[in-house]
Amino acid sequence: MNYDLTPEQLSIKENFSKFCTKEIEPRAHILDEADHEEVKKLIKENIKLMASIGYLGMGHDEAYGGTNLDLISQAIAGEEVAAACASTFLSCGSSSGLFGVPVKLFGTDAQKKKYLPGIIKGEIIGCFGLTEPGAGSDAASIKTTAVKQGDKWILNGTKTFITNATIADVALIFAYNDKAKGPGSGVTCFLVDKGTKGFSVGKPFDKMGFRGSPTAELILEDCEVSEDAILGKVGHGFIQAMQTLEYGRIGMATVSLGIAAKCLQHANKYSKERTAFGKPINRFQEVSFKLADMMILSDVSRLLIYQAAWAKQTNNPESAIMASVAKVWASEAATQISSMAVQVFGGYGYIKEFPVERLYRDAKLGEIGEGTSEIQRVMIAKDLIRKYAA
Ligand SMILES: Cc1cc2nc3c(=O)[nH]c(=O)nc-3n(C[C@H](O)[C@H](O)[C@H](O)COP(=O)(O)OP(=O)(O)OC[C@H]3O[C@@H](n4cnc5c(N)ncnc54)[C@H](O)[C@@H]3O)c2cc1C
């Protein structure tokens, strides 16, 4: 086993760090404070900026304009993006990952040609519509339906909490085409373009964190799509969603790590500059031990993320569990680390002008999005019991 990054991975880290520090980080606070119309404009610009250095194509095939890099390289770049602006990470990830990955894995050649080059260039924005007002953790209980009428499909239902909903050109919509068959073979995924009759977007949610990444409902009212809109095969939607979320969980772990790493960087610098009782506060053990704990927690996150990425890359049968382990650890570590960072900043940590305030609000989503911590633990425990119960 070799823990060293390859020369290519080291240069990815350096290039993304430089680019994001210069181009993305200065916009993070502005995005966080902007009203919704401004957010839409700014986040689209950020998506284009990230596309300009190839970020959105890292996981995609060269035939469509991607660079087809390994998942560890993607995590390395992702940590830098998230450290600069977590909202930018989330919106890019929803478009090229949650939307782009299932199109790559399950789409027809025509669907890949239609969407992937634009997604990779940041000219098309995608989103992933699984969650509903009554079905989040229990995704199998979605109520959206797809009914075949002649050569058309009619979709009805509401999706909620959808990242990029207000800026997306296209959405993946998961719907029951045959409830009696259950989720395993009764759900189908549809590609629904913006502007399709009967397809509309709700009011954006006013969120605690990730305020620079728009979130809203998607509403389907007798929305008519053709057979070509089916992703892969009829009845395969739920499995496609679960497979996509495995990548998504590594992504949520990575955004949590980026937030944590940025908190440590700010706390380290501030504690050196801030004095109390005649000395820098990092000379007090209570403060320096917080810095040490922040490093211990975030280093473990990074190792678990690389392990999960490597497992997924090499088709390890344990990869789904490793992704859950990485997500639980990295997200819970990030909420602890961001809280410690606010504490190190004292009163200033509570003021919006100081970045740890935003990082503290952003961190919490890691424990909720793409499967809550509780659901990850349910899956980890089920797997353990299956393997080790007598
Ligand atoms: C900012 C944001 C962006 C999002 N983006 C998207 C997106 O792009 N696409 C998308 O489809 N969804 C998206 N989501 C939805 C997200 O994935 C869900 O919010 C999440 O899966 C939890 O579902 P829920 O909100 O319905 O909570 P619930 O399922 O109602 O859970 C409520 C609480 O009950 C607990 N709970 C539920 N079931 C169990 C159980 N069996 N055992 C133990 N505890 C349990 C949960 O862990 C949680 O603590 C987003 C959410 C947010 C907040």
Side-chain angles (χ1 to χ4, degrees):
M1 188 183 289
N2 181 350
Y3 280 89
D4 290 332
L5 299 184
T6 64
E8 193 186 21
Q9 288 168 337
L10 283 170
S11 91
I12 287 172
K13 186 164 181 59
E14 197 186 325
N15 291 343
F16 273 83
S17 170
K18 265 195 205 144
F19 182 86
C20 293
T21 306
K22 182 163 175 272
E23 305 290 344
I24 302 294
E25 194 170 354
R27 295 159 64 91
H29 179 67
I30 303 167
L31 250 177
D32 183 58
E33 297 264 283
D35 65 27
H36 186 65
E37 281 312 305
E38 191 65 7
V39 161
K40 279 166 53 178
K41 180 179 157 285
L42 292 170
I43 193 69
K44 281 189 195 172
E45 288 169 3
N46 278 13
I47 291 172
K48 279 254 174 76
L49 279 168
M50 292 317 307
S52 75
I53 58 155
Y55 180 60
L56 282 86
M58 289 181 87
H60 289 286
D61 294 337
E62 284 155 12
Y64 302 101
T67 44
N68 205 14
L69 288 170
D70 63 283
L71 289 169
I72 293 184
S73 296
Q74 292 177 49
I76 290 165
E79 180 185 338
E80 300 304 325
V81 181
C85 175
S87 290
T88 300
F89 178 100
L90 191 69
S91 279
C92 287
S94 293
S95 187
S96 72
L98 285 182
F99 174 86
V101 165
V103 172
K104 167 188 163 172
L105 295 178
F106 314 114
T108 61
D109 283 348
Q111 288 166 344
K112 290 182 200 177
K113 272 190 198 132
K114 180 174 174 190
Y115 297 109
L116 292 181
I119 289 282
I120 291 165
K121 286 188 206 136
E123 287 166 0
I124 294 177
I125 295 174
C127 66
F128 178 86
L130 177 64
T131 304
E132 297 185 358
S137 302
D138 183 10
S141 66
I142 55 169
K143 293 213 159 41
T144 299
T145 54
V147 176
K148 192 153 191 218
Q149 279 185 9
D151 59 352
K152 303 279 180 203
W153 287 86
I154 312 297
L155 308 180
N156 276 290
T158 302
K159 298 293 175 180
T160 197
F161 297 142
I162 308 305
T163 300
N164 289 348
T166 61
I167 54 168
D169 301 291
V170 54
L172 290 178
I173 297 292
F174 296 86
Y176 268 107
N177 61 288
D178 190 344
K179 186 87 188 175
K181 285 190 176 161
S185 57
V187 172
T188 299
C189 179
F190 295 86
L191 288 144
V192 183
D193 291 321
K194 177 177 157 186
T196 304
K197 198 164 160 260
F199 180 49
S200 60
V201 180
K203 206 163 73 90
F205 288 107
D206 191 6
K207 305 195 298 296
M208 172 201 288
F210 282 85
R211 294 180 64 83
S213 172
T215 316
E217 287 191 337
L218 295 175
I219 301 141
L220 302 123
E221 292 166 307
D222 291 330
C223 172
E224 190 180 289
V225 292
S226 68
E227 198 80 18
D228 296 347
I230 293 172
L231 183 75
K233 295 197 177 125
V234 172
H236 286 202
F238 197 74
I239 292 157
Q240 292 167 349
M242 293 305 118
Q243 289 186 7
T244 303
L245 288 174
E246 205 184 307
Y247 290 92
R249 281 169 190 150
I250 302 175
M252 278 314 265
T254 304
V255 71
S256 298
L257 172 62
I259 291 169
K262 186 52 73 176
C263 284
L264 174 55
Q265 188 189 325
H266 283 305
N268 214 351
K269 182 166 182 287
Y270 184 81
S271 65
K272 190 173 149 207
E273 291 162 359
R274 176 74 175 172
T275 57
F277 300 94
K279 51 184 174 182
I281 59 168
N282 67 6
R283 298 298 147 141
F284 299 115
Q285 196 178 66
E286 290 79 356
V287 172
S288 64
F289 273 20
K290 280 193 181 58
L291 301 176
D293 283 343
M294 290 162 91
M295 178 167 162
I296 294 164
L297 288 165
S298 53
D299 272 8
V300 176
S301 300
R302 195 173 289 105
L303 290 172
L304 289 174
I305 290 166
Y306 291 177
Q307 173 183 262
W310 178 251
K312 186 72 194 155
Q313 189 74 42
T314 54
N315 297 320
N316 183 325
E318 303 291 316
S319 65
I321 292 303
M322 290 185 194
S324 292
V325 170
K327 182 183 183 285
V328 172
W329 179 273
S331 61
E332 294 183 358
T335 53
Q336 290 175 56
I337 290 168
S338 65
S339 173
M340 287 187 233
V342 170
Q343 199 65 22
V344 168
F345 271 69
Y348 294 104
Y350 208 67
I351 306 297
K352 281 190 175 289
E353 231 173 279
F354 291 80
V356 291
E357 185 271 343
R358 167 173 46 82
L359 293 163
Y360 179 73
R361 285 184 285 107
D362 284 349
K364 187 63 191 170
L365 181 66
E367 293 180 47
I368 299 169
E370 307 200 20
T372 62
S373 279
E374 290 79 7
I375 293 301
Q376 306 310 313
R377 286 190 168 87
V378 167
M379 295 193 298
I380 296 164
K382 258 193 198 157
D383 185 64
L384 276 173
I385 291 164
R386 182 180 57 79
K387 278 192 209 136
Y388 300 113

